[in-house]
Amino acid sequence: MMDFSAIDLARFQFAFTVSFHIIFPSFTIGLASYLMVLEGLWLATRREVYLQLFKYWLKIFAVAFGMGVVSGIVMTYQFGTNWSVFSDKTGPVLGPLMGYEVLSAFFLEAGFLGIMLFGLNRVGPRLHFMATAMVAFGTALSGFWILSVNSWMQTPAGHAINEAGQFIPENWFEIVFNPSFPYRFVHMMLAAYLTTAFVVGAVGAWHLLKERGNEGAKVMLSMAMWMAALVTPVQIMAGDMHGLNTLEHQPAKIAAMEGHFEGEAGAPLILFGIPDMEAAETHYRVEVPKLGSLILTHSLDGRVPGLKDFPREDWPNATIVFFSFRVMVGIGFLMLGIGMWSLYLRWRGRLADTPLFHRAVLLMGPTGFIAVLAGWITTEVGRQPYTVYGLLRTSDSISPVDAPAVATSLLVFIVVYFIVFGIGTGYILKAMGMRPGGDAQGPQKGEPTRAAGVTPAPAYADEPKPAE
């Protein structure tokens, strides 16, 4: 059996749980906004298809939101058990930020979620729409605070360090809006919207492949492809700006992402290679001369740092960061290609009538999640060996726990996660497989339906109320 230390197991446990967790907020942030748009379009146009799609995706949102909340709570548990030193040192700064997230975003979501899920036929349409909008705003606000916390760990600012080694807040504005926060927040929000768009598009494509004339599937595909065509180029530009910010504040991470061990002017862009940490070089390089400098410094002769510019004990794992970064970027350009293809088909009037395109969109359905995970790995592994970049090492953040204790909780997490989240994911996939609009209309008035001799009166009570 391999011999893992407590810190190895604690890092793996956090990576495992955060990988599960980040999938759900990435989906629900975008899906909450999509639901808000669907309901708004229904109120504005009274087209029944928008209401049907709202009901269709509302059930899926409810399950994904619940799993996101549960998986997030588990992560805070680990701060106390496995990372108590980190919690003690950073608590004066990060504790209030996490508290703001609970008091503002989570309360907003929880306060209006019940109305959103169960109030469509019990409150007026405008009040219900406001509840949906508040849930959408709450999910984005939650992302704001969490990204602020994470960004501060990447580019700490606005603090002092007391005699106990704790980070003490001095300027909350600088803490919240630390140097990397704007770029990281925009990049993550756009990633969430694109992730949702490609899931919605894949579901629409799947149903169009089965039923060419399905109106709900056409609307889903069309809305998703507008998002892909318009937002993906913006995301690529945001990613470029985020990279420039990382070069300024975390140059060792950039060196690992680019696979550069030697710093040089006029650096090439390494498209492919195999970074070798032991030999301190990237083997089998496929590169474009000077393009690395042009992208990172906007100059053909700009200098790009290499890992050898930094102490070896401060190097992140270049192999992991190099490949995860390329997975993220590669998926981004595939999304751009799908978006441009959709514009061409829309111009030809063939968007809903091209099975080859629908199959491609279906294959792209899960890629948003993969890109988010790859981006998260790039960010977090690139921050190593620090929990607070340049100030607090990961090895100095661990709790005084033994490896068997961490291994036991890790094993429990793995078993429970695969059972609970496996069931939840199975339900979501089953719900996505249902025909959009097929079960949303309910019984029609004037055509009473009897079941076992009982008139389903509650069904009539669930009929949508007219607009106020």
Side-chain angles (χ1 to χ4, degrees):
M1 178 178 290
M2 297 181 68
D3 186 19
F4 291 105
S5 65
I7 192 170
D8 292 333
L9 292 168
R11 289 183 63 188
F12 183 79
Q13 185 179 111
F14 199 82
F16 175 77
T17 53
V18 77
S19 296
F20 263 90
H21 175 66
I22 197 172
I23 287 174
F24 298 111
S26 301
F27 186 39
T28 54
I29 288 173
L31 194 53
S33 295
Y34 181 57
L35 287 168
M36 182 183 69
V37 171
L38 285 173
E39 190 171 10
L41 289 171
W42 174 62
L43 288 174
T45 66
R46 290 297 169 180
R47 283 185 62 190
E48 189 68 14
V49 65
Y50 293 127
L51 180 60
Q52 291 173 348
L53 291 181
F54 177 85
K55 292 179 178 179
Y56 181 86
W57 286 102
L58 186 63
K59 294 178 292 185
I60 296 169
F61 172 81
V63 177
F65 183 85
M67 289 196 291
V69 171
V70 172
S71 58
I73 291 173
V74 169
M75 289 169 58
T76 57
Y77 151 82
Q78 292 173 72
F79 286 132
T81 56
N82 297 346
W83 303 100
S84 60
V85 178
F86 168 80
S87 299
D88 175 59
K89 301 289 186 187
T90 63
V93 171
L94 300 188
L97 295 182
M98 300 291 284
Y100 298 151
E101 193 237 347
V102 173
L103 289 174
S104 58
F106 192 67
F107 276 22
L108 197 63
E109 293 167 322
F112 286 96
L113 185 65
I115 300 174
M116 179 186 179
L117 294 179
F118 306 110
L120 183 59
N121 305 309
R122 293 173 174 80
V123 300
R126 291 187 177 85
L127 177 57
H128 188 270
F129 176 67
M130 188 191 78
T132 305
M134 287 299 100
V135 171
F137 177 65
T139 57
L141 188 59
S142 179
F144 173 93
W145 290 117
I146 295 301
L147 266 295
S148 178
V149 167
N150 183 263
S151 297
W152 184 84
M153 292 165 63
Q154 304 278 347
T155 52
H159 66 273
I161 299 178
N162 66 13
E163 62 278 4
Q166 293 176 307
F167 296 89
I168 305 299
E170 284 197 330
N171 186 321
W172 280 108
F173 184 85
E174 292 182 4
I175 289 172
V176 174
F177 297 96
N178 57 79
S180 67
F181 169 73
Y183 306 95
R184 202 178 307 279
F185 178 65
V186 170
H187 199 45
M188 187 66 208
M189 288 299 107
L190 294 178
Y193 293 136
L194 284 173
T195 297
T196 304
F198 275 89
V199 172
V200 171
V203 174
W206 165 251
H207 287 288
L208 279 177
L209 287 169
K210 294 197 301 182
E211 181 186 355
R212 186 68 56 86
N214 189 296
E215 182 65 16
K218 289 181 182 178
V219 172
M220 278 195 282
L221 181 68
S222 177
M223 294 177 73
M225 290 303 102
W226 275 125
M227 180 67 76
L230 299 178
V231 174
T232 306
V234 179
Q235 174 71 316
I236 291 174
M237 288 190 289
D240 177 61
M241 295 174 69
H242 188 18
L244 297 180
N245 178 267
T246 305
L247 175 63
E248 180 180 356
H249 297 281
Q250 296 177 295
K253 181 191 289 188
I254 283 290
M257 289 163 60
E258 299 298 328
H260 289 302
F261 287 89
E262 302 282 352
E264 58 182 313
L269 175 67
I270 301 177
L271 300 174
F272 179 78
I274 300 178
D276 185 338
M277 295 283 289
E278 191 66 30
E281 63 176 306
T282 298
H283 303 296
Y284 312 112
R285 294 164 54 141
V286 178
E287 59 189 32
V288 180
K290 294 187 177 293
L291 188 56
S293 288
L294 181 62
I295 293 173
L296 287 169
T297 68
H298 294 179
S299 167
L300 288 173
D301 297 318
R303 187 179 189 280
V304 174
L307 283 172
K308 290 183 180 179
D309 293 338
F310 309 95
R312 190 154 188 142
E313 62 270 21
D314 287 347
W315 290 9
N317 188 309
T319 306
I320 295 175
V321 173
F322 179 86
F323 284 111
S324 61
F325 177 65
R326 273 147 189 78
V327 168
M328 178 186 68
V329 172
I331 289 175
F333 279 98
L334 282 176
M335 288 178 169
L336 179 65
I338 290 290
M340 296 302 103
W341 191 1
S342 75
L343 287 180
Y344 173 74
L345 291 176
R346 199 185 295 273
W347 173 62
R348 296 286 304 274
R350 300 290 305 276
L351 184 65
D353 193 30
T354 307
L356 179 61
F357 176 71
H358 299 161
R359 292 189 182 92
V361 174
L362 181 60
L363 289 174
M364 288 292 292
T367 55
F369 297 115
I370 298 171
V372 166
L373 280 173
W376 196 255
I377 290 170
T378 302
T379 296
E380 299 308 305
V381 176
R383 174 166 48 84
Q384 297 300 319
Y386 294 97
T387 49
V388 179
Y389 193 72
L391 298 173
L392 180 62
R393 286 184 175 273
T394 305
S395 56
D396 296 328
S397 303
I398 186 78
S399 301
V401 290
D402 295 329
V406 184
T408 302
S409 58
L410 172 61
L411 183 62
V412 171
F413 278 136
I414 291 174
V415 173
V416 171
Y417 268 52
F418 276 103
I419 293 175
V420 174
F421 295 115
I423 293 173
T425 303
Y427 173 82
I428 288 175
L429 292 174
K430 183 178 179 182
M432 289 177 175
M434 296 176 65
R435 181 178 180 274
D439 63 343
Q441 294 181 351
Q444 300 299 308
K445 286 186 176 180
E447 299 176 2
T449 302
R450 287 181 176 274
V454 178
T455 300
Y460 289 97
D462 289 341
E463 286 294 302
K465 293 182 178 180
E468 291 180 344

